[in-house]
Amino acid sequence: MADRPDVPREWVERLRDILGRFPSCDEESAWVGIRWRVGSSTVAHVFGGEDQLFRILFRSEPSEVLAFENLGPPYFKTEWGTNTVGLIIDDETDWDELTEMLTDSYCLQAPARLAEQVERPGD
């Protein structure tokens, strides 16, 4: 079994900056990599794969999951739930777009009283 690489520190810091702005969004070690949760709901999970690629998983409106899946790489549908999408992170990642997707993920997972406190892109 191949080793899983650690997510580059720079990327973890960028994700901390994005997700750390959300109320009660806590970072924790996951079974592999790092995840951010609001309550018991996962907002995002970043990790290195055995194939040496880096992935981030997040939540999306179920109606948008098919669109992400049809876009193809760097997006993919996961087998965890009906509203989970994955993205391969690399040097070409559009961090502004990822910020929007993570904001949406947080707002889907957070209680309404917390989600209402978040300024969403395009608002």
Side-chain angles (χ1 to χ4, degrees):
M1 177 151 100
D3 288 334
R4 293 174 177 268
D6 291 333
V7 178
R9 184 176 222 52
E10 173 188 342
W11 295 351
V12 172
E13 291 298 326
R14 289 182 90 163
L15 292 168
R16 280 184 182 136
D17 288 345
I18 295 165
L19 294 156
R21 294 180 290 156
F22 303 139
S24 300
C25 190
D26 299 316
E27 177 182 328
E28 59 186 47
S29 294
W31 64 275
V32 62
I34 301 168
R35 68 182 173 189
W36 286 263
R37 302 178 90 187
V38 58
S40 62
S41 298
T42 300
V43 174
H45 179 188
V46 65
F47 59 94
E50 293 173 358
D51 58 3
Q52 308 305 298
L53 297 176
F54 299 97
R55 293 165 176 80
I56 187 163
L57 308 180
F58 54 92
R59 306 301 176 144
S60 182
E61 292 286 350
S63 61
E64 294 178 356
V65 172
L66 183 60
F68 281 116
E69 184 177 19
N70 286 331
L71 284 172
Y75 300 99
F76 59 94
K77 181 173 178 340
T78 73
E79 306 218 354
W80 302 290
T82 59
N83 69 342
T84 307
V85 175
L87 171 70
I88 300 292
I89 300 178
D90 60 22
D91 292 332
E92 303 301 314
T93 297
D94 181 336
W95 286 88
D96 291 333
E97 181 179 40
L98 181 55
T99 297
E100 289 181 30
M101 293 182 289
L102 294 176
T103 302
D104 290 343
S105 180
Y106 174 82
C107 290
L108 286 168
Q109 297 297 88
R113 66 180 171 72
L114 295 178
E116 291 168 356
Q117 298 174 39
V118 173
E119 184 175 332
R120 297 187 71 171
D123 282 354

